[in-house]
Amino acid sequence: MIETQTLHKDYLRPLLRKLGKQYRLVGPVRNRFGDTLYIEITDLDRVDIDLKHQPQNSLKSFFFPQTEPLASYIVDTEPLSPTQLYSFHPLLPENRPTLYFGVRSCDLFAVLYMDMIFLGGKHRDIYYEQRRRGAVFITLGCNEPFANCFCNATRNGPFLEFGFDLQLTDLGPARNSYFVEAGKANGVKIVRKWARFFTVSTKEDRRFQYQAALEARGLFKQLVHVDLACQELEKGCEPEDVLTDFSQRCQDCGGCAFICPTCTCFSITDQARDQGSGERIRSWDGCTFAGFTRMAGGHNPIDMRRHRIRKRFFHKLKHDVQKHGRPSCVGCGRCVDMCFGGVDIIRFINAITEAGDLGRGKKRGV
Amino acid sequence: MEYDTYPSCSLDARRQAQAGRDNIYLPDQAIIRNIIRENSLVNTYELTLVDELANHRFSFQPGQFMMISMPHLGEAPISFSSSPDGEDGFSLTIRNSGRLTAAVQQLRAGDIIGVRGPYGRPFPADRLEGKNLLFVAGGIGLAPLRPLIEYWLSRPDEAGNLTMFYGSRTPEEFCFNRDFSRWEQNGLNLRLTVDQTAEEWDGSVGLVTSLLDGYTIDDETMALVCGPGIMIRFVFKQLQAMGMKAENIITTLERHMKCGVGICGHCHMEEKLVCIDGPVFTAAELPDPDNP
Ligand SMILES: Cc1cc2nc3c(=O)[nH]c(=O)nc-3n(C[C@H](O)[C@H](O)[C@H](O)COP(=O)(O)OP(=O)(O)OC[C@H]3O[C@@H](n4cnc5c(N)ncnc54)[C@H](O)[C@@H]3O)c2cc1C
Ligand code: SF4
Ligand code: FES
């Protein structure tokens, strides 16, 4: 294990500039509308890197875009006999080694979840893999969790123990530097190769970092009993009332599924270019849409909105616990911000554990 | 509850573990050798992969399915309906029940469709060996059972008694009636029934469940049930009332599917994915056996 380091804040850009020669850079940037989004950065000098606010998007779309072509196809008829010919040609994304920096713990953890879905089974998804291979992650621990965060309760934050290449911790205004832990091989390589930007950490630094990580745990504004909810669901709890309530407030927009870093369901459709050719497209889908499970003849095993909302929450908090040993909500709080009907996972969990407010329509947090 | 990590997160290990085809979403070409009309809505398509080497390598097990592609219409999951011992390709039996399946009906011999697979968990051959097999089918529900019937009829030494109760709305709608006499000669005890009386029909009239009445069930019997949801429901009920254990009753389920390989999430049934954990399930494995 390599010694921990510190990185002076003034050296962050120079380091990124160097790394930008080797990697495509993706990081949180504040745009002129005041939104913070993870975006691809082509010119470091022309963007406002924002390590203060929670990015509104997650990293999901960098590995699994909202729509992407899987293949093109050609349909032809043989000149002499009218026999139909029909063939497919893959449209693979290029593999671009990418450095993701300023990544929040929840967002990296969600990538690990996606790895399991797209690469962990018997069948490997090479479209995902093309984008995922060669990805390097510099994460940023959260000294001050944001308004709707509860990653302490889902146990993947506010600081990580594994999964990152480098993890940064802000050592506060006085020191004006980051504490740097190297996790995976690429992180170690970066520290070795660019040693001149780093300083070996002191005992003081380490103590400060430990303190910051400890204090952050006490700063969560949301008290969410994720474990308890999982246990209740495991025991067979069916929260009919809250589901009925939710079903009256849900507008079927799918926003919760699209914004969620661990909602990975998709659809595949063909789009004709002309009579003789077209593309097979994959796009995000959501289990809260009525068509998600509809079969031929209109039969639908999950046919009421209440059942669809149940499906989404149960998948995250019950079925994934049964299958993978932990819930697949990473506590990012985005669905809380997203839904104006208040159909969010915090309210769902609170309803099951009978804690906190179930207030209708009232927004939480900011 | 302890959950600090996902079970396997190393990309390299997975890459090494991966064998076989690379792009799971890319269909192969299959050419239609022959089309057999079963009834006004259902045809059986005999197919061979265009790539000769792939065709030699190709094999499947009863209960598995293929994702078939039609130009501009996307994909649909379809069960194998031919013997798994077949030398040259495989058959799919397809009912016209929507956009894609309607277009399939327009195809002619010599046309090419896209196929990928085989996918899904097959019928458990080891559990069926030596057992008395009771097949209960309704309509096109016989299609996924047919590979099993062919398989066990050609292995008389390894199988127990084979019985089939098969129901259809009318006598004209039975699928695979060209096979019936051969199957009976090879030892299948076959009973047919139709919902409505018809001229020139001297067999039973009534639901397929009525045929079950005279049948005795012992611990050496396994039931294989496939047909419309409501039929499956009633047959399950009756078999269990007759003393059959839920784990000895097997069916195959249909769900909306997109990927067929356990990734897209469409076929979730509680914690299971029908495309990889099924489509073959025992009654004991279904979350709500009354509503498969
Ligand atoms: C494992 C399995 C095996 C099957 N085996 C057979 C078989 O051997 N013979 C046969 O005739 N049919 C079989 N089916 C049903 C067949 O897949 C549907 O009839 C077919 O998908 C209908 O497509 P469509 O475009 O004609 O219908 P439409 O109603 O026009 O389809 C509309 C949309 O719904 C989706 N969809 C509709 N029904 C289903 C369905 N049941 N499963 C998955 N997606 C669906 C399609 O993807 C499409 O996007 C099987 C289904 C499954 C899941
Ligand atoms: S369910 Fe909500 S809080 Fe949990 S990971 Fe998804 S968007 Fe974030
Ligand atoms: S069809 Fe995609 S997960 Fe089953």
Side-chain angles (χ1 to χ4, degrees), chain A residues 181-195:
Chain A
E181 297 159 89
K184 293 193 291 196
N186 279 316
V188 177
K189 268 194 220 157
I190 291 172
V191 172
R192 294 239 161 95
K193 184 163 178 196
W194 303 106

Side-chain angles (χ1 to χ4, degrees), chain A residues 70-71 73 75 82-90 109 112-113 115-120 122-127 129 132-133 153-155 162 227 230 265-268 270 272 274-275 277 280 282 285 291-297 301 310-311 315 319 321-323 325-327, chain B residues 1-9 11 14-15 18 21-29 31 68-75 97-98 107-114 116 118-119 254-256 258-273 276-277 291-292:
Chain A
L70 298 177
Y73 59 83
V75 199
T83 308
Q84 164 192 291
L85 301 175
Y86 179 36
S87 60
F88 283 83
H89 311 277
F109 214 80
L112 303 183
Y113 174 79
D115 287 352
M116 196 172 61
I117 300 300
F118 288 102
L119 304 172
K122 192 170 140 228
H123 300 276
R124 188 175 51 113
D125 188 304
I126 63 169
Y127 296 83
E129 199 200 3
R132 177 69 174 82
R133 204 186 316 140
T154 54
R155 297 204 204 165
F162 64 91
D227 276 357
C230 293
C265 290
F266 60 81
S267 189
I268 302 175
D270 284 359
D274 49 53
Q275 253 196 330
S277 69
R280 182 154 287 175
R282 130 153 101 196
D285 205 342
F292 192 75
T293 48
R294 192 185 295 132
M295 300 197 289
R310 174 189 181 277
K311 188 180 168 80
H315 184 189
H319 305 145
V321 175
Q322 290 172 334
K323 277 178 86 151
R326 54 156 293 139
Chain B
M1 204 186 317
E2 267 306 316
Y3 41 77
D4 281 341
T5 178
Y6 288 115
S8 58
C9 287
L11 293 174
R14 273 192 220 119
R15 200 169 315 131
Q18 173 72 24
R21 286 198 49 177
D22 241 19
N23 191 343
I24 45 178
Y25 299 112
L26 205 66
D28 288 319
Q29 291 177 296
I31 185 161
I68 68 162
S69 286
M70 287 290 289
H72 310 307
L73 295 172
E75 298 187 288
S97 38
L107 294 171
R108 281 165 301 193
D111 282 348
I112 283 174
I113 64 168
R116 56 189 182 92
Y119 296 136
E254 287 190 11
R255 281 292 181 278
H256 188 134
K258 285 297 180 194
C259 71
V261 293
I263 303 179
C264 77
H266 274 270
C267 66
H268 256 292
M269 181 180 70
E270 295 297 302
E271 82 288 358
K272 296 191 172 70
L273 290 165
I276 53 172
D277 298 325
N291 191 14

Side-chain angles (χ1 to χ4, degrees), chain A residues 295-296, chain B residues 76-77 79 93 95 97-101 255-258:
Chain A
M295 300 197 289
Chain B
S79 306
T93 300
R95 180 176 196 276
S97 38
R99 263 161 33 95
L100 186 148
T101 47
R255 281 292 181 278
H256 188 134
M257 292 185 179
K258 285 297 180 194

Side-chain angles (χ1 to χ4, degrees), chain A residues 12-57:
Chain A
L12 180 63
R13 264 172 199 268
L15 173 66
L16 290 173
R17 199 166 289 123
K18 295 289 182 199
L19 292 170
K21 299 214 160 74
Q22 190 183 351
Y23 296 104
R24 170 174 79 131
L25 294 181
V26 170
V29 167
R30 198 160 181 88
N31 65 20
R32 62 197 174 90
F33 305 108
D35 305 316
T36 301
L37 296 163
Y38 293 111
I39 60 163
E40 177 176 349
I41 298 170
T42 45
D43 186 349
L44 269 172
D45 295 320
R46 303 189 60 169
V47 295
D48 176 9
I49 294 173
D50 181 5
L51 299 175
K52 279 213 169 55
H53 300 92
Q54 181 181 26
Q56 280 149 257
N57 57 347

